[in-house]
Amino acid sequence: MSLRQEPITKEELFDSVLERLGPEAREIIEKAYHLSDRMHGDQKRLSGEPYIIHPLNVAGLLNELRLDTAVIAAGLLHDVVEDTEYTKDDMVRDFGEEIANLVEGVTKISEIKSQSKETEAAENIRKMLVATIQDARVIIIKLADKTHNMRTLKFQPPEKALRIAKETLSVYAPIAGRLGMYSIKVELEDLAFQITHPEEFQHIRKSINLKKSEREEYIEKLKIILKQRLSDIHIDAKIEGRAKHFYSIHKKMTTKDKSFHEIFDLRAIRIITDEIRDCYGVLGIVHTLWPPVPGRFKDYVATPKTNFYQSLHTTVIGPDGKPLEVQIRTRDMNRIAEDGVAAHWAYKEGKGITSNLGAGIGPGISTNLMKDNPFRLKWLEILNSWQDSSMDSREFLEDLKFDLHEDEVFVFTPKGEIVEIAKGATVLDFAFRIHTDVGLHAKGAKVNGRMVPLRTELKSGDQVEIQTEKKSKPSPIWLRIVKTASAKQKLKQYFRRLQEENDGRNMDSIELPPSEKVIQEIQKNIRKRPRKKVGTEEKEANIIVAGIKDILVRRAACCSPIPGDEIIGFVTRGRGVSVHKKNCPTAKVQMENMQTLPVRWDGMAEPIPVQIEVRSKDVQGIYLSMVESISGTKTNIIEAGATSNDNKQLIAKFKIEIEHLDQLKEILDNLKLLPDVVYAERVKIGK
Ligand code: MN
């Protein structure tokens, strides 16, 4: 069901508020309308209409979502403080704290301006999300504001319209989706899509219209069959066809590489019942009428999504022999499916929303109860992780896009609790989701009872057990393993703290700073690091020498240190600083007669070749298992070979590219887990 498209008149709004919320509410809304109208005065929209049309329609949308008086009033007043002389104090005096705070929240979101458009969007979204910690109604008002602005986007100059449309697709629509506000999400996406891809939009629209009558006929036929069978078992249900929205068709065509017909031949209906138990009754009928497609049944009634979406989903082979998607849910579930968080904040009216979701969402919702709403608590948790203002905006936006856009997978803790996590997330993300300390001390993991690397991608239904060890510490390589914003954030915080501690320690260290002469010697050698030379031993690593970056460093060939190894540097004539492992025998000799320099690894480095040797029983398929085990960590194998000896042992050698010692450790650990492997170690290159 989509939102009403016709503009609302002030009389319509007042009448609807009176009917729904009573005479006092109507009075407040009227007062807010008149104040807004007066303050905006002869200000005009780009369409040439009086400005009040905008706040009026924003309020109309909020009323349609059945929100409370304060929200609708704030909708009417949302641009007043920003655009006119009227201050927040005036508003507190005239309308009270609650409405004034809502308006201030909305104003703050649009206030932030920063250099680039992209970071501006990121800043905005962060503010917006943080604002919901105070009151989720702020975001709902902002989305209604956005929806009306998108409806009137055609009055903006084309370039600006395009930018706004893109921002809507990347930021606002996903937020609406995340909040479960599908009616808003769908409308925002289709309005934006029309601007970003005008030709595709027209093509899809035409194609849909062509098939319209055929589709309607089909739905009618289904309705008759279903109604008959349902009345046999005394279930009264509403059956409706589901039109897919344009943008989702476009997305399926581009991401799944399907043709329009493949997508649209897939029929979809929704069946709405009165009672939860009827949902399962209907499901039974559907499955006896038409054969279900295996693996497509999902019970979101028993296991709601994080945003409290509930529904039964199944796909059957319909009467025309084509797949038919069926959604079955109660009226209240449908309301939550369309309005999402707005339904949870809606004003209690009559019976209110009944659902089996537990505390705070039972019949008779009141705003106070919302404080303990599990939905809200869940959001607090996610949003708290987004609050760190030291996070780079662009980075934040990218991580956020990942968190918002991808579908979710459901995995289980060892105790059988369900954890919802973004698709593509790894075992390590899961560890951080359970608890920061679990993440920071994660050592290994079992998925469905089997040991797996921390980088393993999670699939729905996996049962995940994280093994921790107090001594175990995060490796910089983890930054590439985690995919969710919150885990990345926690890791970055950890490394920042570590860096600060180290810097502090270095200052007090007894190690003397390099002499003047040495500094001069180093300065002579300062130059941009050369690009990495593939296939040579002198590949550059990120090493900081005496606190200075960009000094020519050479990893000594005798011990080939890799990031994570303890290292020491020596000044050489004309060849920069030579870096050895601290325990390298050559280094120990040089230490006696050469100037040493403090050196340390700096974050992630270019991959460095390393040789490993693996010995195993010479059984069939073992070599392939080794290769798979190494590749499974996304490690590049540069050279590989194997021989066998007289003891029926297979000796395999791999030259691989390593970014950090911990990556090597993971590879060796994984290899040792293979049943027939008896030995896996790093050896000198070329040996
Ligand atoms: Mn506005």
Side-chain angles (χ1 to χ4, degrees):
M1 249 167 297
S2 48
L3 294 158
R4 161 190 166 131
Q5 295 294 309
E6 306 79 47
I8 196 167
T9 65
K10 64 174 191 275
E11 290 79 14
E12 276 177 304
L13 178 67
F14 299 160
D15 289 350
S16 168
V17 167
L18 176 67
E19 188 188 323
R20 208 164 61 78
L21 302 166
E24 262 171 61
R26 184 192 152 119
E27 209 172 293
I28 296 168
I29 296 307
E30 248 187 278
K31 182 174 157 194
Y33 173 85
H34 289 300
L35 182 105
S36 183
D37 191 22
R38 199 168 72 242
M39 293 316 297
H40 286 296
D42 45 20
Q43 203 186 341
K44 291 265 184 318
R45 294 279 288 175
L46 283 177
S47 62
E49 290 173 304
Y51 196 85
I52 187 66
I53 294 295
H54 170 63
L56 174 63
N57 278 284
V58 171
L61 279 165
L62 295 167
N63 180 55
E64 194 181 340
L65 293 170
R66 293 186 253 183
L67 288 153
D68 59 33
T69 315
V71 173
I72 300 167
L76 284 165
L77 297 166
H78 80 271
D79 280 330
V80 166
V81 175
E82 201 180 359
D83 292 357
T84 77
E85 308 281 277
Y86 194 77
T87 65
K88 190 198 167 188
D89 290 340
D90 296 333
M91 199 170 286
V92 173
R93 184 196 60 219
D94 295 341
F95 293 94
E97 202 83 44
E98 189 186 7
I99 293 174
N101 283 339
L102 286 171
V103 170
E104 189 185 45
V106 179
T107 309
K108 269 191 188 153
I109 295 172
S110 35
E111 227 171 41
I112 313 114
K113 297 270 182 281
S114 48
Q115 307 84 340
S116 89
K117 291 299 171 197
E118 177 124 347
T119 49
E120 192 176 314
E123 274 306 319
N124 270 334
I125 184 171
R126 176 158 55 203
K127 290 275 167 160
M128 174 165 7
L129 294 168
V130 170
T132 56
I133 288 172
Q134 266 70 52
D135 199 327
R137 295 178 299 174
V138 167
I139 250 187
I140 300 172
I141 298 169
K142 184 66 200 175
L143 287 171
D145 177 35
K146 197 77 205 168
T147 305
H148 186 251
N149 283 336
M150 285 301 293
R151 284 181 183 178
T152 51
L153 194 63
K154 56 175 179 283
F155 299 107
Q156 294 280 3
E159 235 167 73
K160 195 172 172 197
L162 185 62
R163 183 179 68 73
I164 295 172
K166 280 183 182 163
E167 189 191 89
T168 298
L169 283 182
S170 70
V171 171
Y172 292 94
I175 284 189
R178 197 60 189 226
L179 292 169
M181 300 175 66
Y182 286 101
S183 46
I184 294 245
K185 174 181 188 265
V186 163
E187 180 162 351
L188 286 178
E189 282 180 344
D190 280 350
L191 287 168
F193 174 50
Q194 196 169 357
I195 304 282
T196 58
H197 298 77
E199 277 161 33
E200 281 94 329
F201 179 86
Q202 292 306 339
H203 170 69
I204 291 174
R205 181 157 72 179
K206 263 187 217 147
S207 314
I208 287 178
N209 284 340
L210 270 179
K211 291 220 160 187
K212 200 171 172 196
S213 57
E214 191 191 320
R215 200 171 59 238
E216 281 167 356
E217 243 170 70
Y218 178 78
I219 299 293
E220 275 315 306
K221 200 167 91 190
L222 280 178
K223 270 191 189 173
I224 294 165
I225 303 171
L226 270 169
K227 282 263 176 200
Q228 176 61 48
R229 294 296 295 268
L230 290 175
S231 74
D232 290 349
I233 55 165
H234 311 289
I235 290 179
D236 187 28
K238 203 172 124 201
I239 300 151
E240 50 195 41
R242 261 162 58 215
K244 287 209 179 333
H245 76 290
F246 300 169
Y247 184 65
S248 76
I249 293 172
H250 164 75
K251 256 201 331 206
K252 278 200 180 139
M253 284 164 73
T254 48
T255 62
K256 302 209 171 144
D257 199 26
K258 289 190 170 173
S259 74
F260 176 83
H261 295 283
E262 275 175 274
I263 292 160
F264 217 75
D265 279 348
L266 206 143
R267 319 286 192 168
I269 57 165
R270 178 174 301 150
I271 305 172
I272 314 269
T273 67
D274 288 333
E275 305 285 339
I276 291 174
R277 59 163 194 275
D278 293 343
C279 292
Y280 294 97
V282 171
L283 180 74
I285 295 292
V286 170
H287 279 181
T288 46
L289 278 170
W290 304 294
V293 178
R296 294 300 302 272
F297 172 63
K298 288 197 190 78
D299 187 347
Y300 294 117
V301 171
T303 312
K305 294 190 182 184
T306 338
N307 58 19
F308 291 135
Y309 174 87
Q310 285 188 294
S311 189
L312 299 177
H313 289 188
T314 187
T315 304
V316 296
I317 302 301
D320 61 350
K322 286 176 185 167
L324 168 69
E325 280 183 2
V326 186
Q327 296 180 344
I328 307 162
R329 51 174 86 142
T330 65
R331 231 175 312 130
D332 289 338
M333 290 174 192
N334 195 41
R335 167 95 194 277
I336 288 172
E338 308 256 319
D339 298 347
V341 64
H344 297 295
W345 258 264
Y347 183 78
K348 73 165 181 183
E349 35 183 316
K351 183 165 151 257
I353 295 179
T354 357
S355 74
N356 57 351
L357 286 173
I361 326 180
I365 295 172
S366 82
T367 318
N368 281 339
L369 266 177
M370 283 303 119
K371 292 205 171 76
D372 304 318
N373 182 337
F375 181 90
R376 189 164 182 177
L377 293 178
K378 179 96 193 162
W379 264 87
L380 276 175
E381 195 184 293
I382 297 172
L383 295 169
N384 270 325
S385 71
W386 287 347
Q387 269 210 85
D388 185 356
S389 56
S390 64
M391 196 171 181
D392 174 63
S393 288
R394 187 176 307 271
E395 231 173 78
F396 171 78
L397 190 64
E398 262 155 37
D399 291 346
L400 184 73
K401 279 178 186 166
F402 179 84
D403 279 5
L404 289 173
H405 274 280
E406 302 301 307
D407 293 325
E408 265 114 23
V409 295
F410 295 90
V411 296
F412 297 92
T413 67
K415 284 182 190 157
E417 287 151 321
I418 294 174
V419 174
E420 187 197 20
I421 198 159
K423 196 173 165 192
T426 61
V427 166
L428 193 55
D429 284 296
F430 174 87
F432 277 100
R433 167 63 72 80
I434 297 300
H435 195 277
T436 307
D437 281 338
V438 174
L440 292 175
H441 299 291
K443 188 159 189 309
K446 279 185 180 173
V447 168
N448 306 326
R450 275 190 49 214
M451 287 296 298
V452 296
L454 291 172
R455 67 175 71 238
T456 306
E457 201 175 290
L458 295 168
K459 294 187 302 297
S460 267
D462 280 347
Q463 185 159 40
V464 193
E465 183 183 344
I466 304 292
Q467 294 160 336
T468 57
E469 201 179 272
K470 260 214 175 104
K471 278 186 294 181
S472 183
K473 283 187 213 118
S475 147
I477 203 121
W478 285 12
L479 285 167
R480 294 203 185 159
I481 294 181
V482 298
K483 296 292 184 297
T484 59
S486 60
K488 252 187 211 160
Q489 186 78 343
K490 287 169 181 171
L491 269 176
K492 281 178 190 163
Q493 263 166 15
Y494 170 84
F495 287 119
R496 229 174 0 236
R497 231 180 303 131
L498 194 69
Q499 184 80 53
E500 282 161 15
E501 279 167 22
N502 280 345
D503 287 353
R505 193 170 341 126
N506 278 352
M507 262 189 276
D508 312 329
S509 85
I510 47 158
E511 206 165 355
L512 290 168
S515 71
E516 195 63 26
K517 197 176 130 237
V518 172
I519 298 272
Q520 280 173 8
E521 185 72 31
I522 299 171
Q523 297 288 1
K524 265 190 262 168
N525 288 312
I526 291 182
R527 59 169 220 210
K528 278 255 172 267
R529 282 199 220 106
R531 282 184 174 276
K532 88 172 182 189
K533 290 177 250 164
V534 181
T536 73
E537 288 308 299
E538 288 198 38
K539 242 185 231 178
E540 293 302 319
N542 292 344
I543 295 176
I544 295 184
V545 180
I548 310 166
K549 283 191 184 190
D550 286 339
I551 287 185
L552 178 63
V553 283
R554 213 166 47 85
R555 293 182 317 107
C558 51
C559 56
S560 317
I562 59 172
D565 279 334
E566 276 196 72
I567 44 172
I568 185 163
F570 299 99
V571 182
T572 65
R573 277 202 193 278
R575 289 167 69 202
V577 175
S578 155
V579 175
H580 293 256
K581 278 161 83 169
K582 232 175 201 162
N583 60 4
C584 164
T586 316
K588 280 182 181 154
V589 174
Q590 289 188 347
M591 239 182 274
E592 318 219 316
N593 45 31
M594 282 178 85
Q595 174 77 41
T596 62
L597 284 170
V599 287
R600 62 177 162 90
W601 300 103
D602 177 31
M604 300 300 298
E606 295 288 343
I608 292 168
V610 161
Q611 182 113 310
I612 58 171
E613 188 179 299
V614 194
R615 292 189 202 164
S616 73
K617 271 190 253 169
D618 196 357
V619 293
Q620 209 187 355
I622 183 69
Y623 184 67
L624 187 64
S625 307
M626 291 177 192
V627 172
E628 279 172 352
S629 168
I630 297 170
S631 310
T633 62
K634 308 251 162 67
T635 301
N636 229 3
I637 301 176
I638 316 168
E639 280 170 32
T643 53
S644 51
N645 65 12
D646 304 337
N647 300 336
K648 295 237 169 173
Q649 255 196 346
L650 182 91
I651 301 168
K653 284 187 180 154
F654 299 95
K655 195 163 165 188
I656 53 181
E657 284 192 315
I658 294 293
E659 292 169 23
H660 191 278
L661 190 61
D662 290 337
Q663 183 184 2
L664 178 64
K665 205 176 153 294
E666 186 191 351
I667 291 166
L668 295 175
D669 285 349
N670 288 348
L671 285 167
K672 286 174 196 160
L673 282 176
L674 294 175
D676 296 300
V677 167
V678 293
Y679 171 95
E681 294 301 334
R682 170 183 179 189
V683 295
K684 227 178 132 174
I685 285 186
K687 202 187 135 189

